[in-house]
Amino acid sequence: MINFHSKRNVACFLLRGWLVMFCVGCLAVLFCDSSSCADEKQPAVFFQDVTESSRLQFQHQSPLTLKRHLHLTMGSGIGWIDFDNDGFPDLYCAQGQAWRDVKRKQGDATEIRLSNRLFQNRGDSQFQDVTTQAGLMDFGYSMGIAVGDYNHDGFEDLYVSQFGQNLLYCNNGDGTFSNNSYSAHVDDPGYGASCTWADLNGDGLLDLYVVNYLEIDREHYPICSRKVDGTRVYFVCHPRYVRGEYDIVYQNLGNGLFRDVSKKAGLQNEPARQGLGVFAADYDNDGDMDIYVANDSVANQLWVNDGHGVFTDQALIAGLAFNRTGDREAGMGIAGADYNDDGQIDLFVTNYFGETNTLYRNEGSLFFLDVTDEAGLAAASRVRLGFGASFLDCNNDGWEDLFITNGHVHDRLTQLGKNEPFEQEPQVFLNQKGTRFSNVSARAGKFFQKKQVGRGCAVADFNRDGRADLAVSHLNENLVLLENRTVTTAQSLSLKLIGTTSNRSGIGAMVEITTDSRKLTRYRRGSSSYLSADESGVLTGLGNSLAPVTAKVTWPAGKTEIWSGLQPGGRYTLIEGTSGFRDPSQIQQ
Amino acid sequence: MIMNTLPEPDNLTKPFSGTEKRALFSSGSIVAGVGFMALLVFYFSGHNDSAPAPKAEQAAMSQVSHQNQEKARQKELIAYLQQHSDDEFAHFQLGELIRDRAPFQALENYSHVTPRHPRYFEAVEAIAAIAMEQDLPLQAKPALLTLVREYPQEGRYHKNLAQLLFKAADYDRALKYATRSIELGENQAQAYMLVANILRQAGRTSEMSGPLKQALYLEPDLYEAHLNLAYAAIYSGDLESAEREARWCLEQQPASITVLRYLALIDRNQGKIEEAVSHIEQARLIDPQDFECLLVEADLLIFQRKGLQAYDLLKPLYSEWKTERRFIAALARAAGLAGKREESLQLQQENQLLIKEDDLRPSSLQSETVEEIRSRQGR
C-alpha cells in the first residue's frame, strides 16, 4: 500500500507538473501573440505588388543584341503626373526600342505595347491606358522624364529625354498633349539621360536641365568584346571607351519657346562627362537652383548657380565629386532629402557593383561628407549595382527612408568568369531617427525577394491613403506598382504647392513643417532617382503628432509664408501669396 | 583601409613562399639530402675502424671532395662544350651541375635543350623553377605554359602558373589555372588561399568566402583564412560572421593591428562609433605608424565632425603620403570640415591629378577591342 500510494503520488506530481508546464506554454503562446512577438509578425515596412490588380500592364522593350549595344541596357524611367488634375497621380512610362526595329516600329503605329504609355489613375486603385487618346504615342528609345507646368496653364507638362531626339509634350488641359519638341526648340538629338525642370535664372519660369550620357554615333556604334576560350564575347562598353556628351540647359522664354543656353551657362567650360542622374536644389542656400549631376565613372558635378543661370562646377570643394576615398564612382541615380533632420538636403547616389552607393551628409556652407559606412549603407550595396533610388517615409514616422532598385548592366559575366548577378533584389532601408539606416528588405514583401533588373523608381501616394507608394521600372521586364501597406498609426501630411510669382509647379520650394515635437524639412523636388519623376508636391509622415501642424514654405522666388492649423492626415493646396487670407479648411483638398 | 572601397589587402598569404619553391623544384636540395645521407652512412660505417675524427671536419672534408668532383666534371663539360656547343645533353648536364651555384648560367644551358631532345621537358621544368626562384617571370611563364600543355593533368604546374599570373596581375587567367590546379588534386588549403587572394586582388571580394571556407575545412585553424574571411564578410555586409572571425583571430593574435582595424570597421558599419574609436585607438597604440589605422581614425573623427582634430592628425604626414589618394582625400575632407576650404579644394585637385585614366576599379570589364560598327539604323 505504502508503495502503491507512493507511486501514485509520484504519478500525480508528474501529471501536475506537465499540466503546469502546458498551461505556462499556452500562456506564453498567447502572450507572444498579443505583445512581445508582435514585432516579429509585423514588418517595419511592407509593400504589396499590386501591378496586376491595378491593371498596370507595361512591359519594357529593349531586347539586347548579340553585340550588346550599350544603350539597350540602360533602361527607361517613369514619372507620376496628374495630367487631368483630378487629384490622383497618373503614371507615364518611358519605353525602350529594339535596335533593329526602328523602321518597322515607326511604321506600325498600332503597336501600342511598343510605345511610351500613359496610364490614367481612375481613383479606385485601378489604371487605364489612355496613351492613344492623349496623343502620346512615340516609338523612340525613351529614357528620362521630367514633369512640370512650364507654361503656367495649371496643367503638368512632360519632357522626355531619348536616345535620339527629346520630346516636349504640352498638356492641352483636355486630356490630350501636343508634341512641341521641335517648335519649342528642345529636341536635342543626343543621348539624353535624366532631366529635370527647375527655374534656373529666377524668372519664375521652369527651365530644363537635360543630362546627356555618351556621344554615340549610330553609324559607328562602339562595340566591346573580349576573347574567352577562343570565342569572342561581346559586352556593354564601359563608358571610358565612349566620349561623354555635354549636358543641355534650355531657358524658358515664357512664350512657349526655349533657348539652348548651355554654353552661356558655363556647362562647356570643362570637358563633357558621362552623365546619368540629376537633382536640382539650392545647395548653397543663396536663393537659386543649383544642379548636382551623377556621372558614370568620372567625377560628379555640382553646378552652382550665380543667380542668373550661369554655373560653375564646385563639386570638388563641396566634397561631392568623389567618394570618401577620393575615387570616382559610377554615378547612376540620385535621391535627395533631409535624412537626419538638420534642415539641409542630403544626397544619395547609386553606384556600380563593387562600389558602395554613397550617402553625402550636408554639413552646411556647401560642404558634404560621405557618411555611407557609418549610416549602414556601405556593406549592403557593395554587392549590388544600384540604379533608381528614392527617399520616402514608408512608415510615416517623420524620417525619410530609402528605396533602391538594383540590376547589373552586364548579363554575360558568367561567360567572362565573373560571379556578379544580372538580376538583383531591390532594397528598402528604414531610417533610424537620422543616425543610420537598417535594411528591412527581408520582410518588406515578396517583391524584395525577387531578382530583377531594376532601373527607375518614383514615389506617389496613388491611392490617397496617406502612405507613399512606389512604381519601379525594369529592363525588359514588367513595371511594378508597389502599394505601401505598412501598418502604422502615424499620420501624414500632403501638400500641393502652386507658385504664382515662382514657377507654378513650386519646384524648388522648401517646406518646414513644425509639429508639437519636431521640425521637419521637406523639399518639393523636380526629377530624381534614375530617369524618373515623383508625384509633384510634398508628402511627409508626421510621426506620433496628432495636433495640427504649421507649414512654412520658402518659395523658389524667395518669399516665405506660413500656414497654420494643418491637420495630420490632411491634404492641402498651398498657393503662393495666399497664406494670409485662407483658413486651412479652404485649402484642404 | 577605410570607407567605401575596402583597401588593398594585407599580404596575408605568400604564394611564392621560398620553402615551397625549393621543395618543388630544387634539385640542389635533393643533392644536399643525398649528400647528407651519404655522410651519415659514412659516419656510422667508419666509426669503429678509425680514430674518431670530429664530425664537422669529416663532413667538411666530404663536401670539399664532392665539390672538387663537381668542379672537375664542370670543367670537363665546359671544355667539351667549347668543342661541341650544339650538344644538348652536355648543356643539360652542365645545367644540372651548376643550377644551385650559378642559376643564370644554368638557365642559359637549359635553354639550349630543344624539343627534339628526350630531356627537353626536364630542362623546361628546370627553367621554370630557376626563373621563379630568381623572379624572372618572362622566362618562367613560357616554360610553365609549355609544361601545362604537355602535362595537362599535373596540378602543380597549373598552380605555379597561377601564382606567376597572379603576381603579374593577370587575375582572370591566374584564377583559371588556380581553379584547375585544385580540380587536379592540389587540394591543400594553400591552393584555396591562392584562389581567395586572386579573387581579392581582382576586386571580386564578394566571391572569396567559398574558397576561404574550403581552406578552413581542410585546415580549421588556418589564421590567414580566418582573417581573410573576416575581411570578405565585412565587404559583403555579413557583419556577424565578420565579427566572429575577427574575434577568433584576436584570440590568436591579441596584438594584431589588422584584426583590431577590422573590428573598428565592423563597429563603424554597425553604427557603434565609440567602440570603433576604441578599437582603432588600441591598434594605434600598438603601431602608431600604421597607415590604414591612421586613415580609419581620421575618418571616425571626421564623421564626428571633429574636423580640426582629424586635420591635425593628418597634416603632419602630408609630405610622406602626398601621392596616396586615400590620404589626400581624407585630408581634404578634414580641411573642408575645419573650415580650410581653399586647402581642401587644393587637395581635391591634387587627388584628381593623381587619378590615372586606367585606374578603374578592378571589377570593371576591360575590352580588348572597341569596334565601331557601321550601321544603317540611324534615326
Side-chain angles (χ1 to χ4, degrees):
Chain A
M1 285 295 282
I2 292 166
N3 280 345
F4 171 75
H5 272 294
S6 167
K7 278 181 186 170
R8 202 173 62 172
N9 284 343
V10 169
C12 278
F13 180 75
L14 283 173
L15 187 65
R16 278 179 197 162
W18 279 112
L19 273 171
V20 168
M21 282 180 71
F22 178 74
C23 291
V24 167
C26 288
L27 280 171
V29 169
L30 282 172
F31 181 71
C32 191
D33 269 351
S34 59
S35 59
S36 67
C37 295
D39 286 347
E40 273 184 31
K41 289 199 168 172
Q42 201 63 64
V45 168
F46 191 81
F47 285 91
Q48 178 71 42
D49 181 345
V50 294
T51 317
E52 205 174 319
S53 63
S54 64
R55 297 189 173 181
L56 260 176
Q57 291 180 325
F58 179 79
Q59 156 94 46
H60 186 249
Q61 307 278 348
S62 182
L64 305 183
T65 55
L66 178 70
K67 296 200 169 178
R68 294 298 185 266
H69 289 74
L70 186 153
H71 76 279
L72 297 171
T73 64
M74 298 309 286
S76 305
I78 40 182
W80 291 100
I81 170 174
D82 183 8
F83 81 100
D84 52 2
N85 270 349
D86 67 350
F88 286 90
D90 312 296
L91 188 60
Y92 182 79
C93 307
Q95 183 57 288
Q97 178 192 46
W99 175 239
R100 301 201 176 277
D101 283 357
V102 178
K103 284 178 181 166
R104 188 184 70 78
K105 192 177 165 183
Q106 281 173 341
D108 187 359
T110 57
E111 279 270 39
I112 193 163
R113 69 184 179 88
L114 302 177
S115 166
N116 296 343
R117 307 271 283 281
L118 177 64
F119 293 94
Q120 184 181 32
N121 186 341
R122 297 188 347 190
D124 57 357
S125 292
Q126 295 207 337
F127 289 78
Q128 184 178 356
D129 188 334
V130 293
T131 312
T132 314
Q133 302 92 300
L136 288 172
M137 292 278 272
D138 181 83
F139 300 100
Y141 199 111
S142 294
M143 298 279 295
I145 294 168
V147 176
D149 181 4
Y150 79 90
N151 55 0
H152 282 221
D153 64 353
F155 291 91
E156 291 182 321
D157 309 296
L158 264 173
Y159 189 75
V160 185
S161 69
Q162 295 208 331
F163 178 66
Q165 286 184 323
N166 298 342
L167 303 165
L168 173 65
Y169 288 115
C170 177
N171 189 337
N172 299 320
D174 58 358
T176 67
F177 289 81
S178 300
N179 183 347
N180 289 355
S181 327
Y182 178 73
S183 61
H185 311 302
V186 288
D187 55 342
D188 178 62
Y191 184 174
S194 293
C195 50
T196 189
W197 294 102
D199 178 6
L200 299 176
N201 57 356
D203 63 356
L205 299 168
L206 283 178
D207 310 298
L208 265 170
Y209 189 97
V210 184
V211 176
N212 278 327
Y213 187 33
L214 302 171
E215 198 178 297
I216 291 185
D217 177 358
R218 287 171 190 74
E219 295 297 321
H220 304 90
Y221 204 109
I223 297 291
C224 290
S225 65
R226 191 191 281 181
K227 252 191 170 171
V228 180
D229 296 331
T231 309
R232 187 150 291 281
V233 178
Y234 292 94
F235 52 84
V236 172
C237 282
H238 189 279
R240 70 175 296 202
Y241 299 114
V242 191
R243 267 205 300 263
E245 191 168 31
Y246 281 116
D247 296 347
I248 308 269
V249 172
Y250 287 118
Q251 183 190 347
N252 187 341
L253 302 177
N255 55 359
L257 303 179
F258 289 78
R259 181 187 295 145
D260 181 348
V261 293
S262 315
K263 196 167 183 181
K264 192 177 151 197
L267 299 194
Q268 295 177 15
N269 290 344
E270 51 185 56
R273 299 189 192 171
Q274 293 87 339
L276 283 174
V278 69
F279 195 89
D282 181 8
Y283 296 106
D284 52 358
N285 296 320
D286 64 350
D288 55 42
M289 294 292 279
D290 313 301
I291 304 282
Y292 183 53
V293 180
N295 294 310
D296 192 352
S297 303
V298 287
N300 297 329
Q301 291 158 308
L302 176 65
W303 292 109
V304 174
N305 195 338
D306 72 348
H308 304 288
V310 177
F311 298 87
T312 48
D313 177 11
Q314 296 190 28
L316 276 181
I317 196 166
L320 286 171
F322 305 115
N323 67 5
R324 74 204 303 172
T325 52
D327 287 322
R328 54 203 170 156
E329 296 183 295
M332 306 288 184
I334 306 174
D338 174 16
Y339 88 92
N340 56 350
D341 246 10
D342 64 356
Q344 323 223 48
I345 294 176
D346 310 292
L347 289 164
F348 180 78
V349 183
T350 52
N351 293 308
Y352 200 76
F353 196 98
E355 299 171 341
T356 69
N357 296 328
T358 306
L359 176 66
Y360 295 101
R361 185 176 73 189
N362 191 339
E363 297 293 306
S365 307
L366 201 65
F367 188 68
F368 291 74
L369 284 178
D370 172 353
V371 294
T372 316
D373 291 74
E374 293 85 352
L377 293 167
S381 61
R382 276 201 193 91
V383 287
R384 297 276 192 286
L385 199 167
F387 268 94
S390 297
F391 278 112
L392 74 165
D393 186 353
C394 298
N395 54 358
N396 284 341
D397 65 350
W399 296 97
E400 298 273 25
D401 309 306
L402 193 52
F403 171 82
I404 303 158
T405 177
N406 303 300
H408 219 297
V409 291
H410 297 293
D411 65 322
R412 287 177 167 164
L413 287 176
T414 314
Q415 273 176 274
L416 295 162
K418 288 181 182 246
N419 187 20
E420 296 174 16
F422 184 47
E423 297 172 326
Q424 300 171 10
E425 300 97 336
Q427 294 165 303
V428 61
F429 294 87
L430 197 66
N431 187 335
Q432 305 289 340
K433 298 189 175 174
T435 55
R436 53 190 279 104
F437 290 83
S438 55
N439 190 346
V440 292
S441 315
R443 302 186 64 225
K446 280 184 185 168
F447 173 74
F448 293 90
Q449 313 307 320
K450 191 177 173 189
K451 292 182 178 183
Q452 287 181 279
V453 187
R455 291 296 183 255
C457 60
V459 181
D461 177 12
F462 80 91
N463 54 2
R464 294 298 186 236
D465 65 353
R467 286 172 292 189
D469 309 299
L470 275 162
V472 188
S473 72
H474 298 98
L475 181 74
N476 277 318
E477 289 176 88
N478 287 331
L479 173 129
V480 170
L481 180 64
L482 295 173
E483 184 182 312
N484 186 345
R485 292 192 183 169
T486 304
V487 176
T488 174
T489 53
Q491 297 280 358
S492 65
L493 181 73
S494 172
L495 303 175
K496 181 177 180 181
L497 305 177
I498 296 182
T500 51
T501 311
S502 307
N503 71 81
R504 202 179 190 288
S505 299
I507 291 172
M510 197 67 95
V511 184
E512 195 179 283
I513 297 156
T514 308
T515 72
D516 48 10
S517 58
R518 289 175 61 193
K519 201 169 268 186
L520 312 172
T521 303
R522 295 295 179 263
Y523 176 68
R524 164 65 172 103
R525 47 194 173 227
S527 301
S528 65
S529 182
Y530 174 71
L531 310 175
S532 300
D534 295 340
E535 177 185 5
S536 58
V538 168
L539 174 68
T540 182
L542 297 174
N544 294 323
S545 179
L546 297 172
V549 302
T550 298
K552 182 171 104 178
V553 180
T554 304
W555 295 94
K559 192 176 173 184
T560 298
E561 291 181 277
I562 296 175
W563 279 268
S564 301
L566 308 180
Q567 294 295 329
R571 312 185 69 83
Y572 298 91
T573 301
L574 309 182
I575 302 172
E576 186 179 13
T578 66
S579 58
F581 51 89
R582 292 283 181 91
D583 77 55
S585 62
Q586 285 176 297
I587 56 172
Q588 195 151 12
Q589 286 175 21
Chain B
M1 160 168 182
I2 58 170
M3 334 314 157
N4 301 28
T5 320
L6 287 168
E8 288 306 300
D10 305 297
N11 191 10
L12 297 169
T13 53
K14 292 174 184 153
F16 296 96
S17 121
T19 316
E20 195 177 20
K21 278 183 279 177
R22 276 190 291 275
L24 277 170
F25 288 109
S26 175
S27 62
S29 58
I30 298 165
V31 170
V34 170
F36 181 69
M37 290 298 289
L39 272 173
L40 284 177
V41 170
F42 174 74
Y43 175 78
F44 286 115
S45 62
H47 192 258
N48 297 329
D49 301 336
S50 58
K55 286 178 194 171
E57 200 179 314
Q58 281 185 352
M61 280 171 65
S62 166
Q63 198 174 353
V64 168
S65 156
H66 183 69
Q67 279 175 358
N68 286 339
Q69 279 175 15
E70 277 192 355
K71 272 184 189 169
R73 177 77 181 132
Q74 187 181 326
K75 272 185 187 171
E76 196 181 318
L77 277 167
I78 290 169
Y80 175 79
L81 280 168
Q82 278 171 353
Q83 302 299 318
H84 306 89
S85 61
D86 53 351
D87 187 329
E88 297 179 23
F89 187 57
H91 276 293
F92 178 79
Q93 284 181 303
L94 185 55
E96 291 284 281
L97 266 180
I98 63 172
R99 61 184 291 175
D100 290 331
R101 290 193 307 278
F104 292 97
Q105 181 56 47
L107 211 56
E108 163 69 17
N109 289 110
Y110 283 126
S111 66
H112 282 88
V113 185
T114 65
R116 293 186 302 271
H117 196 274
R119 310 296 289 269
Y120 172 67
F121 289 108
E122 285 173 63
V124 173
E125 185 174 353
I127 289 171
I130 294 168
M132 285 191 78
E133 279 167 3
Q134 302 301 326
D135 196 17
L136 300 168
L138 289 178
Q139 280 89 341
K141 192 174 160 185
L144 283 168
L145 281 169
T146 304
L147 291 169
V148 160
R149 269 196 298 272
E150 181 62 22
Y151 306 107
Q153 301 304 317
E154 198 67 60
R156 64 196 168 113
Y157 297 135
H158 287 80
K159 187 176 158 195
N160 290 325
L161 186 54
Q163 286 172 336
L164 191 78
L165 293 166
F166 175 45
K167 208 176 176 187
D170 188 350
Y171 302 124
D172 284 351
R173 294 177 70 204
L175 189 63
K176 186 176 132 186
Y177 287 108
T179 311
R180 183 72 185 131
S181 79
I182 290 172
E183 286 167 4
L184 292 172
E186 293 285 313
N187 201 28
Q188 308 95 335
Q190 284 305 327
Y192 287 104
M193 285 307 302
L194 176 62
V195 171
N197 278 305
I198 295 169
L199 286 168
R200 184 168 176 169
Q201 291 293 352
R204 296 167 62 177
T205 313
S206 58
E207 299 169 48
M208 283 172 68
S209 298
L212 288 172
K213 283 174 183 167
Q214 283 289 343
L216 285 173
Y217 175 74
L218 294 165
E219 270 186 55
D221 291 334
L222 188 59
Y223 180 82
E224 62 194 81
H226 283 285
L227 193 59
N228 272 300
L229 198 53
Y231 173 86
I234 294 172
Y235 180 92
S236 54
D238 181 2
L239 299 180
E240 204 177 309
S241 301
E243 189 168 359
R244 188 180 60 240
E245 296 300 330
R247 291 212 177 276
W248 186 91
C249 291
L250 196 65
E251 276 177 25
Q252 314 303 310
Q253 293 191 16
S256 164
I257 52 167
T258 305
V259 179
L260 287 166
R261 180 161 50 82
Y262 284 2
L263 284 167
L265 293 175
I266 294 163
D267 293 333
R268 188 179 68 178
N269 278 289
Q270 290 171 335
K272 300 174 189 167
I273 302 302
E274 281 176 20
E275 285 91 331
V277 170
S278 166
H279 276 126
I280 213 66
E281 279 175 354
Q282 284 178 53
R284 297 259 296 144
L285 277 176
I286 295 165
D287 183 1
Q289 307 304 319
D290 185 80
F291 177 68
E292 299 295 342
C293 290
L294 172 85
L295 286 186
V296 176
E297 184 174 4
D299 225 38
L300 288 165
L301 288 169
I302 291 168
F303 175 73
Q304 296 172 92
R305 297 194 170 101
K306 296 175 181 170
L308 202 55
Q309 269 180 261
Y311 180 82
D312 290 342
L313 180 71
L314 297 172
K315 181 68 179 174
L317 302 168
Y318 173 75
S319 56
E320 190 182 343
W321 294 105
K322 63 185 177 187
T323 55
E324 166 59 61
R325 290 204 296 107
R326 289 183 296 148
F327 177 85
I328 297 293
L331 184 55
R333 298 167 78 225
L337 197 59
K340 301 172 190 295
R341 302 300 297 274
E342 280 308 312
E343 187 178 351
S344 175
L345 176 62
Q346 195 186 327
L347 289 161
Q348 290 281 13
Q349 286 166 339
E350 282 179 34
N351 171 60
Q352 198 167 23
L353 289 174
L354 288 169
I355 296 174
K356 296 180 185 73
E357 190 46 45
D358 289 336
D359 188 17
L360 288 168
R361 59 189 163 273
S363 65
S364 292
L365 275 182
Q366 309 289 310
S367 182
E368 286 169 352
T369 61
V370 183
E371 305 169 48
E372 287 192 337
I373 301 291
R374 284 196 67 84
S375 163
R376 292 177 186 171
Q377 309 297 332
R379 292 170 48 216

